[in-house]
Amino acid sequence: MRRHLPLNALRAFEASARLLSFTRAGMELRVTQTAISHQVKQLEDTLGASLFRRLPRGLVLTDEGLALLPVLSDALDRIGAAIDRIEAKGTREVVTVGCVTTFATGWLLQRVDRFKHAHPYIDLRLLTNNNRVDIAGDGLDLALRFGDGSWHGTEAIHLLSAPLSPVCCPDVAGRLRKPSDLAQEFLLRSYRAEEWPLWFAVAGAPCPKIQGPIFDSSVAMAEAAARGVGVGLVPIAMFNNELASGRLKRPFAAEVPAGSYWLTWLKSREVTPGMRAFRDWLLETLRAEVSESEARAVEGAPIARRKPTAEANAKTKIVKRRRR
Protein backbone atom coordinates (compact mmCIF):
# COMPACT_ATOMS: atom_id res chain seq x y z
CA MET A 1 0.00 0.00 0.00
CA ARG A 2 1.39 3.41 -1.03
CA ARG A 3 2.02 5.65 1.97
CA HIS A 4 0.32 9.02 2.31
CA LEU A 5 2.46 11.85 0.94
CA PRO A 6 2.05 15.39 2.33
CA LEU A 7 2.21 17.03 -1.09
CA ASN A 8 1.75 20.64 0.04
CA ALA A 9 4.48 20.27 2.64
CA LEU A 10 6.79 18.64 0.09
CA ARG A 11 6.24 21.52 -2.35
CA ALA A 12 6.92 24.02 0.43
CA PHE A 13 10.18 22.23 1.32
CA GLU A 14 11.32 21.96 -2.34
CA ALA A 15 10.80 25.67 -2.98
CA SER A 16 12.43 26.67 0.31
CA ALA A 17 15.41 24.38 -0.30
CA ARG A 18 15.87 25.61 -3.86
CA LEU A 19 15.63 29.28 -2.87
CA LEU A 20 17.05 28.92 0.67
CA SER A 21 14.36 31.27 1.92
CA PHE A 22 10.88 30.77 3.40
CA THR A 23 9.94 34.26 2.26
CA ARG A 24 10.90 33.74 -1.41
CA ALA A 25 9.30 30.27 -1.36
CA GLY A 26 6.06 31.86 -0.12
CA MET A 27 6.17 34.42 -2.93
CA GLU A 28 6.67 31.66 -5.52
CA LEU A 29 3.85 29.49 -4.16
CA ARG A 30 1.65 32.52 -3.41
CA VAL A 31 1.25 31.85 0.30
CA THR A 32 2.66 33.59 3.36
CA GLN A 33 6.10 33.03 4.82
CA THR A 34 4.44 31.77 7.98
CA ALA A 35 2.47 29.13 6.04
CA ILE A 36 5.64 27.87 4.37
CA SER A 37 7.51 27.69 7.68
CA HIS A 38 4.59 25.85 9.28
CA GLN A 39 4.34 23.28 6.43
CA VAL A 40 8.09 22.59 6.53
CA LYS A 41 7.94 22.12 10.30
CA GLN A 42 5.07 19.63 9.89
CA LEU A 43 7.12 17.70 7.30
CA GLU A 44 10.11 17.59 9.65
CA ASP A 45 7.87 16.30 12.44
CA THR A 46 6.47 13.61 10.14
CA LEU A 47 9.97 12.51 9.06
CA GLY A 48 11.45 12.83 12.52
CA ALA A 49 14.41 14.73 11.10
CA SER A 50 15.46 18.34 10.59
CA LEU A 51 15.71 19.42 6.95
CA PHE A 52 17.13 22.91 7.57
CA ARG A 53 19.40 24.62 9.99
CA ARG A 54 17.81 27.98 10.63
CA LEU A 55 20.51 30.60 10.95
CA PRO A 56 20.21 34.38 11.51
CA ARG A 57 21.28 35.01 7.91
CA GLY A 58 19.16 32.34 6.23
CA LEU A 59 18.63 28.63 5.76
CA VAL A 60 21.18 25.83 5.36
CA LEU A 61 20.19 22.32 4.31
CA THR A 62 21.00 19.43 6.63
CA ASP A 63 22.27 16.11 5.28
CA GLU A 64 18.67 14.84 5.27
CA GLY A 65 17.54 17.92 3.33
CA LEU A 66 20.36 17.51 0.82
CA ALA A 67 19.33 13.89 0.25
CA LEU A 68 15.64 14.71 -0.24
CA LEU A 69 15.93 17.79 -2.50
CA PRO A 70 17.17 16.25 -5.80
CA VAL A 71 14.72 13.35 -5.61
CA LEU A 72 11.80 15.67 -4.90
CA SER A 73 12.80 18.22 -7.57
CA ASP A 74 13.05 15.51 -10.22
CA ALA A 75 9.66 14.06 -9.27
CA LEU A 76 7.94 17.45 -9.41
CA ASP A 77 9.56 18.23 -12.77
CA ARG A 78 8.35 14.95 -14.22
CA ILE A 79 4.84 15.49 -12.91
CA GLY A 80 4.78 18.97 -14.42
CA ALA A 81 6.02 17.68 -17.80
CA ALA A 82 3.35 14.96 -17.84
CA ILE A 83 0.62 17.51 -17.08
CA ASP A 84 1.91 19.79 -19.87
CA ARG A 85 1.73 16.92 -22.35
CA ILE A 86 -1.82 16.06 -21.31
CA GLU A 87 -2.97 19.69 -21.53
CA ALA A 88 -1.38 20.10 -24.96
CA LYS A 89 -2.79 16.88 -26.38
CA GLY A 90 -5.58 18.62 -28.22
CA THR A 91 -3.39 21.30 -29.83
CA ARG A 92 -0.03 19.66 -30.54
CA GLU A 93 0.80 16.90 -33.00
CA VAL A 94 3.94 14.88 -33.60
CA VAL A 95 4.77 14.25 -37.27
CA THR A 96 7.53 11.72 -37.92
CA VAL A 97 9.27 12.14 -41.27
CA GLY A 98 11.83 9.76 -42.74
CA CYS A 99 14.22 11.51 -45.12
CA VAL A 100 17.03 10.37 -47.38
CA THR A 101 20.17 11.98 -45.95
CA THR A 102 21.13 13.80 -49.16
CA PHE A 103 17.83 15.70 -49.28
CA ALA A 104 17.96 16.37 -45.54
CA THR A 105 21.41 17.97 -45.62
CA GLY A 106 21.15 19.50 -49.08
CA TRP A 107 17.72 21.09 -48.77
CA LEU A 108 15.45 20.39 -45.79
CA LEU A 109 17.67 21.29 -42.83
CA GLN A 110 18.35 24.74 -44.27
CA ARG A 111 14.62 25.52 -44.29
CA VAL A 112 13.07 23.47 -41.49
CA ASP A 113 13.12 26.45 -39.11
CA ARG A 114 10.62 28.16 -41.44
CA PHE A 115 8.22 25.26 -40.94
CA LYS A 116 8.63 25.49 -37.17
CA HIS A 117 7.86 29.20 -37.19
CA ALA A 118 4.82 28.67 -39.42
CA HIS A 119 3.52 25.70 -37.41
CA PRO A 120 4.71 26.03 -33.78
CA TYR A 121 2.24 23.40 -32.53
CA ILE A 122 3.62 20.61 -34.72
CA ASP A 123 6.57 18.66 -33.34
CA LEU A 124 8.57 17.47 -36.36
CA ARG A 125 10.68 14.34 -35.83
CA LEU A 126 13.21 13.77 -38.60
CA LEU A 127 14.78 10.34 -39.12
CA THR A 128 17.43 10.14 -41.86
CA ASN A 129 18.18 7.06 -43.94
CA ASN A 130 20.08 5.89 -47.01
CA ASN A 131 16.89 5.72 -49.12
CA ARG A 132 15.97 2.25 -47.95
CA VAL A 133 12.94 2.78 -45.79
CA ASP A 134 9.97 0.84 -44.43
CA ILE A 135 7.30 3.44 -43.68
CA ALA A 136 5.14 1.14 -41.57
CA GLY A 137 8.00 -0.73 -39.90
CA ASP A 138 9.87 2.48 -39.06
CA GLY A 139 6.75 4.16 -37.66
CA LEU A 140 6.84 7.03 -40.18
CA ASP A 141 4.01 9.36 -41.07
CA LEU A 142 5.76 10.60 -44.21
CA ALA A 143 8.90 9.66 -46.13
CA LEU A 144 11.05 11.85 -48.37
CA ARG A 145 12.81 9.51 -50.77
CA PHE A 146 14.67 9.31 -54.08
CA GLY A 147 13.49 7.25 -57.03
CA ASP A 148 10.86 7.05 -59.74
CA GLY A 149 7.79 7.48 -57.53
CA SER A 150 6.70 3.84 -57.77
CA TRP A 151 6.54 2.28 -54.31
CA HIS A 152 3.92 -0.36 -53.57
CA GLY A 153 1.06 0.73 -51.36
CA THR A 154 2.11 4.39 -51.16
CA GLU A 155 0.92 7.76 -52.37
CA ALA A 156 3.72 9.82 -53.93
CA ILE A 157 4.01 13.52 -54.79
CA HIS A 158 6.86 14.67 -57.04
CA LEU A 159 9.03 17.30 -55.38
CA LEU A 160 12.25 17.91 -57.25
CA SER A 161 14.19 16.38 -60.14
CA ALA A 162 17.73 15.42 -59.25
CA PRO A 163 20.04 14.97 -62.28
CA LEU A 164 23.51 13.62 -61.57
CA SER A 165 26.79 15.32 -62.42
CA PRO A 166 30.44 14.70 -61.44
CA VAL A 167 32.06 16.54 -58.53
CA CYS A 168 35.60 16.49 -57.21
CA CYS A 169 38.09 18.53 -55.20
CA PRO A 170 39.80 21.56 -56.81
CA ASP A 171 43.10 19.71 -57.35
CA VAL A 172 41.43 16.93 -59.32
CA ALA A 173 39.29 19.42 -61.28
CA GLY A 174 42.48 21.21 -62.34
CA ARG A 175 43.65 18.25 -64.39
CA LEU A 176 40.32 17.47 -66.08
CA ARG A 177 39.92 19.00 -69.52
CA LYS A 178 37.47 16.68 -71.24
CA PRO A 179 35.16 13.86 -70.10
CA SER A 180 37.52 11.16 -71.35
CA ASP A 181 40.11 12.41 -68.81
CA LEU A 182 37.96 10.80 -66.12
CA ALA A 183 39.29 7.42 -67.26
CA GLN A 184 42.50 8.29 -65.38
CA GLU A 185 40.67 9.08 -62.14
CA PHE A 186 39.22 7.01 -59.32
CA LEU A 187 35.46 7.03 -59.98
CA LEU A 188 33.25 6.76 -56.90
CA ARG A 189 29.94 4.98 -57.44
CA SER A 190 26.60 4.22 -55.84
CA TYR A 191 24.83 0.87 -55.66
CA ARG A 192 23.06 1.85 -58.93
CA ALA A 193 25.68 0.55 -61.35
CA GLU A 194 24.13 2.12 -64.45
CA GLU A 195 24.73 5.75 -63.40
CA TRP A 196 28.28 6.28 -64.66
CA PRO A 197 27.66 4.52 -68.03
CA LEU A 198 24.59 6.72 -68.55
CA TRP A 199 26.56 9.87 -67.74
CA PHE A 200 29.40 9.00 -70.13
CA ALA A 201 26.82 8.34 -72.86
CA VAL A 202 25.36 11.82 -72.33
CA ALA A 203 28.85 13.36 -72.22
CA GLY A 204 29.79 11.63 -75.48
CA ALA A 205 32.79 9.73 -74.13
CA PRO A 206 33.51 6.01 -73.73
CA CYS A 207 32.84 4.67 -70.25
CA PRO A 208 35.98 3.23 -68.63
CA LYS A 209 35.98 0.25 -66.30
CA ILE A 210 34.75 1.54 -62.95
CA GLN A 211 36.28 -0.03 -59.87
CA GLY A 212 35.91 2.65 -57.22
CA PRO A 213 34.26 2.04 -53.83
CA ILE A 214 30.48 1.78 -53.62
CA PHE A 215 28.59 4.28 -51.43
CA ASP A 216 25.04 4.04 -50.13
CA SER A 217 24.90 7.80 -49.55
CA SER A 218 25.59 10.71 -51.90
CA VAL A 219 26.60 12.77 -48.86
CA ALA A 220 29.38 10.31 -48.02
CA MET A 221 30.40 10.11 -51.68
CA ALA A 222 30.61 13.91 -51.99
CA GLU A 223 32.66 14.08 -48.78
CA ALA A 224 35.10 11.51 -50.18
CA ALA A 225 35.33 13.52 -53.41
CA ALA A 226 36.00 16.73 -51.46
CA ARG A 227 38.85 14.97 -49.65
CA GLY A 228 40.46 14.01 -52.95
CA VAL A 229 39.59 10.31 -52.89
CA GLY A 230 38.11 10.43 -56.39
CA VAL A 231 35.31 11.82 -58.54
CA GLY A 232 31.74 11.32 -57.36
CA LEU A 233 28.51 11.34 -59.35
CA VAL A 234 25.89 13.10 -57.22
CA PRO A 235 22.53 14.93 -57.45
CA ILE A 236 24.13 18.28 -58.12
CA ALA A 237 21.26 20.43 -56.81
CA MET A 238 21.83 19.06 -53.29
CA PHE A 239 25.40 20.35 -53.06
CA ASN A 240 25.05 24.04 -53.88
CA ASN A 241 26.69 25.10 -50.60
CA GLU A 242 29.78 22.96 -51.19
CA LEU A 243 30.06 24.21 -54.78
CA ALA A 244 29.61 27.84 -53.73
CA SER A 245 32.35 27.53 -51.10
CA GLY A 246 34.74 25.97 -53.61
CA ARG A 247 35.20 22.83 -51.54
CA LEU A 248 33.72 20.87 -54.44
CA LYS A 249 34.13 21.60 -58.13
CA ARG A 250 31.92 20.57 -61.03
CA PRO A 251 34.38 19.83 -63.86
CA PHE A 252 31.76 19.19 -66.59
CA ALA A 253 28.27 20.56 -67.18
CA ALA A 254 26.86 17.31 -68.56
CA GLU A 255 24.24 15.74 -66.33
CA VAL A 256 22.06 12.68 -66.52
CA PRO A 257 18.50 12.27 -65.16
CA ALA A 258 18.48 9.43 -62.65
CA GLY A 259 15.41 10.06 -60.52
CA SER A 260 13.61 12.60 -58.37
CA TYR A 261 12.79 13.34 -54.77
CA TRP A 262 9.26 12.40 -53.69
CA LEU A 263 7.07 12.85 -50.65
CA THR A 264 5.36 9.55 -49.86
CA TRP A 265 3.00 8.03 -47.30
CA LEU A 266 1.00 4.82 -46.97
CA LYS A 267 -2.29 4.71 -48.84
CA SER A 268 -3.80 3.08 -45.78
CA ARG A 269 -2.67 5.95 -43.55
CA GLU A 270 -5.21 8.62 -42.67
CA VAL A 271 -3.67 12.02 -43.41
CA THR A 272 -3.63 14.05 -40.19
CA PRO A 273 -3.69 17.87 -39.99
CA GLY A 274 0.02 17.85 -39.12
CA MET A 275 0.91 15.65 -42.09
CA ARG A 276 -1.15 17.89 -44.37
CA ALA A 277 0.55 21.01 -42.99
CA PHE A 278 4.02 19.60 -43.66
CA ARG A 279 3.04 18.46 -47.16
CA ASP A 280 1.54 21.83 -48.08
CA TRP A 281 4.50 23.76 -46.63
CA LEU A 282 6.95 21.58 -48.56
CA LEU A 283 5.16 22.04 -51.87
CA GLU A 284 4.63 25.78 -51.39
CA THR A 285 8.29 26.33 -50.46
CA LEU A 286 9.55 24.40 -53.48
CA ARG A 287 7.09 26.17 -55.78
CA ALA A 288 8.17 29.58 -54.48
CA GLU A 289 11.85 28.78 -54.93
CA VAL A 290 11.32 27.57 -58.50
CA SER A 291 9.41 30.76 -59.33
CA GLU A 292 12.15 32.89 -57.76
CA SER A 293 14.84 31.02 -59.68
CA GLU A 294 12.99 31.49 -62.96
CA ALA A 295 12.53 35.20 -62.23
CA ARG A 296 16.26 35.62 -61.58
CA ALA A 297 17.04 33.82 -64.83
CA VAL A 298 14.77 36.17 -66.76
CA GLU A 299 16.27 39.24 -65.07
CA GLY A 300 19.78 38.06 -65.89
CA ALA A 301 19.02 37.21 -69.53
CA PRO A 302 20.34 39.65 -72.17
CA ILE A 303 17.67 41.88 -73.70
CA ALA A 304 17.13 40.92 -77.35
CA ARG A 305 17.78 43.81 -79.73
CA ARG A 306 14.95 44.26 -82.19
CA LYS A 307 15.76 44.64 -85.84
CA PRO A 308 14.93 48.12 -87.11
CA THR A 309 11.81 48.30 -89.24
CA ALA A 310 11.77 49.75 -92.72
CA GLU A 311 10.01 52.85 -91.34
CA ALA A 312 12.73 53.31 -88.73
CA ASN A 313 15.44 52.96 -91.38
CA ALA A 314 13.78 55.60 -93.48
CA LYS A 315 13.57 58.03 -90.53
CA THR A 316 17.25 57.43 -89.77
CA LYS A 317 18.21 58.30 -93.36
CA ILE A 318 16.17 61.53 -93.20
CA VAL A 319 17.91 62.56 -89.96
CA LYS A 320 21.33 61.87 -91.46
CA ARG A 321 20.51 63.97 -94.54
CA ARG A 322 19.40 66.91 -92.31
CA ARG A 323 22.63 66.69 -90.32
CA ARG A 324 24.62 66.99 -93.48
Side-chain angles (χ1 to χ4, degrees):
M1 180 177 177
R2 190 184 299 275
R3 66 174 295 173
H4 171 72
L5 296 176
L7 295 180
N8 286 338
L10 289 170
R11 289 183 63 207
F13 162 73
E14 191 275 338
S16 301
R18 179 164 35 84
L19 301 171
L20 291 177
S21 167
F22 290 152
T23 300
R24 290 200 295 272
M27 294 173 63
E28 181 177 293
L29 299 179
R30 298 181 181 179
V31 297
T32 65
Q33 180 267 349
T34 302
I36 292 291
S37 178
H38 180 68
Q39 288 175 345
V40 171
K41 183 65 172 62
Q42 283 185 327
L43 179 62
E44 290 176 322
D45 291 342
T46 300
L47 297 176
S50 296
L51 300 175
F52 293 105
R53 284 192 293 141
R54 295 156 174 81
L55 304 177
R57 294 184 179 181
L59 301 174
V60 176
L61 284 164
T62 63
D63 290 343
E64 290 80 4
L66 287 170
L68 180 59
L69 176 60
V71 177
L72 184 56
S73 294
D74 178 65
L76 291 174
D77 287 343
R78 291 169 63 185
I79 292 170
I83 291 173
D84 287 343
R85 287 194 297 270
I86 293 171
E87 289 179 342
K89 185 177 180 181
T91 57
R92 300 193 70 84
E93 181 182 345
V94 175
V95 177
T96 304
V97 178
C99 185
V100 58
T101 304
T102 306
F103 190 83
T105 60
W107 193 91
L108 183 58
L109 294 182
Q110 303 166 36
R111 299 161 177 83
V112 73
D113 61 321
R114 303 181 198 171
F115 176 78
K116 185 62 180 175
H117 290 150
H119 303 280
Y121 296 105
I122 297 177
D123 292 328
L124 189 65
R125 293 182 180 175
L126 186 64
L127 308 179
T128 57
N129 57 67
N130 63 356
N131 205 42
R132 297 181 180 183
V133 61
D134 178 357
I135 296 180
D138 294 338
L140 304 177
D141 296 311
L142 301 163
L144 290 156
R145 58 212 299 189
F146 178 84
D148 60 5
S150 299
W151 292 280
H152 179 69
T154 65
E155 300 284 358
I157 296 179
H158 183 266
L159 299 177
L160 187 68
S161 297
L164 307 179
S165 195
V167 294
C168 56
C169 70
D171 288 344
V172 173
R175 57 179 180 257
L176 297 175
R177 297 290 179 267
K178 54 187 182 298
S180 58
D181 291 342
L182 287 170
Q184 309 304 316
E185 302 296 335
F186 208 41
L187 300 183
L188 312 177
R189 51 186 173 154
S190 78
Y191 53 84
R192 293 179 288 269
E194 72 280 3
E195 291 177 348
W196 271 116
L198 288 173
W199 184 85
F200 275 103
V202 170
C207 181
K209 187 174 182 179
I210 300 172
Q211 297 178 317
I214 297 175
F215 293 82
D216 69 351
S217 164
S218 293
V219 172
M221 185 190 296
E223 181 62 26
R227 293 173 181 266
V229 175
V231 180
L233 192 61
V234 302
I236 200 70
M238 296 295 105
F239 295 94
N240 288 327
N241 290 338
E242 290 80 358
L243 292 167
S245 69
R247 190 164 182 260
L248 281 176
K249 294 291 184 180
R250 183 182 183 182
F252 306 110
E255 56 187 32
V256 59
S260 299
Y261 291 104
W262 300 78
L263 177 67
T264 67
W265 65 93
L266 292 176
K267 289 181 178 179
S268 58
R269 177 75 162 90
E270 180 182 355
V271 177
T272 67
M275 292 168 62
R276 187 177 299 108
F278 183 78
R279 179 194 65 192
D280 293 348
W281 169 82
L282 194 65
L283 294 174
E284 289 169 6
T285 302
L286 283 165
R287 190 179 300 116
E289 291 185 1
V290 169
S291 298
E292 183 180 345
S293 177
E294 291 175 348
R296 285 199 301 266
V298 170
E299 290 174 1
I303 299 175
R305 299 182 65 182
R306 291 180 296 178
K307 293 182 179 180
T309 63
E311 182 181 357
N313 285 332
K315 289 181 179 179
T316 301
K317 290 178 182 177
I318 292 173
V319 171
K320 286 183 177 179
R321 289 194 192 103
R322 287 175 180 173
R323 286 178 179 172
R324 291 174 185 168

